[in-house]
Amino acid sequence: MAVSVFKMLGFFVGFFLIVGLVSSAKFDELFQPSWALDHFAYEGELLRLKLDNYSGAGFQSKSKYMFGKVTVQIKLVEGDSAGTVTAFYMSSEGPYHNEFDFEFLGNTTGEPYLVQTNVYVNGVGNKEQRLNLWFDPTKDFHSYSLLWNQRQVVFLVDETPIRLHTNMENKGIPFPKDQAMGVYSSIWNADDWATQGGRVKTDWSHAPFVASYKGFEIDACECPVSVAAADNAKKCSSSGEKRYWWDEPTLSELNAHQSHQLLWVKANHMVYDYCSDTARFPVTPLECLHHSHRHH
């Protein structure tokens, strides 16, 4: 009996060491402004990003990561936000980059904000989904997260999955798992497409448009710039004694509750899915065929 108790203790100690990688921190410990420093305002734990007719603003993580979870709490632009986009995303660099996007598309007062998600693999995107949220994202802070491991990429809003991108390499579909990614956010004017396909323009008399941030968390495997991609992939994967939480079997797919949540989101809140856009894709994209069969 004693042996198994020690083994269990060993497991728990190991588990907490793993969890100890979490870096939940102030903005400037994890991130730095990437442009328009004069459009940043710091108020204690809060960061505000400002868009006016001179400039938007953006920030990026100081490090790049491979696998793990990144979360930020955002309160989106209040009132008339038409034409504006606030983005939170992970991306690698280069022409064949990988990218996971949240883009929050502003709207005229009273109309719901739309959330557009997209996934790029090896430089190829065109996988947009759009949904409205089950709350007003301008009234309070909500958490937006990206969970990424070798089996799946999960987009989460307040821990509810809104999108799943599964590893289907066995079907010949490439999966993002060998490029370290930075974490980014920005606000900019995109009135050529953001609101009702570009029909509604930004009303600059309502500027500045302000997105507020807090609760920055990155619990992920940090990748030194000097290290080759293959070595990072190895370093950030569990092997032998080294166990990372994101490789645990429970995270290789959604659990039953999460699967139901995702189905609920799709049924009640999704307004656009590239998989069913036959005008753009007369031939259904391969991953769509396989994803649709995965509903338990």
Side-chain angles (χ1 to χ4, degrees):
M1 186 61 198
V3 173
S4 61
V5 170
F6 275 115
K7 271 192 176 152
M8 276 174 64
L9 276 174
F11 171 74
F12 281 118
V13 170
F15 184 70
F16 286 120
L17 285 176
I18 288 171
V19 172
L21 291 170
V22 70
S23 49
S24 166
K26 293 183 173 59
F27 170 79
D28 54 11
E29 287 171 34
L30 295 174
F31 293 96
Q32 59 198 22
S34 35
W35 46 289
L37 274 69
D38 58 346
H39 284 57
F40 282 71
Y42 301 93
E43 299 167 23
E45 297 291 289
L46 278 192
L47 166 69
R48 300 193 195 280
L49 252 55
K50 187 170 81 171
L51 165 68
D52 56 27
N53 51 355
Y54 296 103
S55 178
F59 63 82
Q60 64 189 65
S61 58
K62 293 178 175 178
S63 298
K64 295 207 171 11
Y65 303 91
M66 204 176 284
F67 310 129
K69 186 178 183 183
V70 301
T71 299
V72 68
Q73 292 177 39
I74 310 175
K75 188 165 106 178
L76 291 163
V77 177
E78 284 189 69
D80 180 358
S81 56
T84 72
V85 172
T86 306
F88 169 57
Y89 60 104
M90 293 184 77
S91 183
S92 60
E93 289 174 357
Y96 303 106
H97 75 293
N98 299 329
E99 189 176 323
F100 315 137
D101 293 331
F102 278 101
E103 291 182 303
F104 303 96
L105 314 183
N107 222 325
T108 44
T109 307
E111 291 285 307
Y113 244 90
L114 286 181
V115 182
Q116 175 168 291
T117 60
N118 203 352
V119 174
Y120 286 76
V121 186
N122 298 338
V124 181
N126 296 329
K127 299 180 181 64
E128 296 88 354
Q129 291 181 353
R130 286 188 183 186
L131 46 116
N132 52 46
L133 293 162
W134 48 96
F135 53 82
D136 180 344
T138 70
K139 289 288 175 267
D140 211 343
F141 286 90
H142 292 269
S143 71
Y144 302 94
S145 308
L146 292 160
L147 168 69
W148 173 35
N149 59 30
Q150 306 192 50
R151 308 294 323 142
Q152 59 180 3
V153 180
V154 189
F155 292 70
L156 302 131
V157 174
D158 292 336
E159 292 302 305
T160 295
I162 63 159
R163 180 169 188 160
L164 171 66
H165 185 79
T166 311
N167 184 330
M168 291 183 281
E169 289 176 305
N170 59 339
K171 306 272 196 282
I173 298 164
F175 183 80
K177 67 176 198 328
D178 56 1
Q179 296 182 37
M181 300 171 92
V183 186
Y184 303 86
S185 186
S186 54
I187 183 170
W188 80 94
N189 177 42
D191 67 5
D192 53 334
W193 65 272
T195 305
Q196 295 178 31
R199 283 191 295 279
V200 182
K201 301 298 181 190
T202 305
D203 180 350
W204 293 110
S205 72
H206 292 162
F209 302 99
V210 177
S212 307
Y213 296 78
K214 66 176 188 180
F216 301 92
E217 289 180 50
I218 298 179
D219 186 355
C221 185
E222 199 171 332
C223 294
V225 177
S226 55
V227 176
D231 295 330
N232 274 328
K234 201 187 253 168
K235 181 186 95 118
C236 295
S237 306
S238 302
S239 58
E241 289 298 289
K242 183 184 66 177
R243 304 248 315 263
Y244 289 117
W245 65 264
W246 51 83
D247 286 329
E248 292 301 300
T250 49
L251 290 170
S252 64
E253 59 181 4
L254 298 185
N255 63 34
H257 176 59
Q258 291 173 317
S259 297
H260 289 144
Q261 287 180 311
L262 182 59
L263 286 173
W264 174 81
V265 169
K266 285 184 168 175
N268 295 287
H269 293 280
M270 188 174 282
V271 294
Y272 174 82
D273 183 4
Y274 79 104
C275 281
S276 49
D277 188 340
T278 50
R280 269 178 79 197
F281 304 103
V283 177
T284 305
L286 198 51
E287 70 275 6
C288 298
L289 293 172
H290 297 301
H291 264 150
S292 59
H293 295 308
R294 289 183 56 83
H295 294 163
H296 306 301

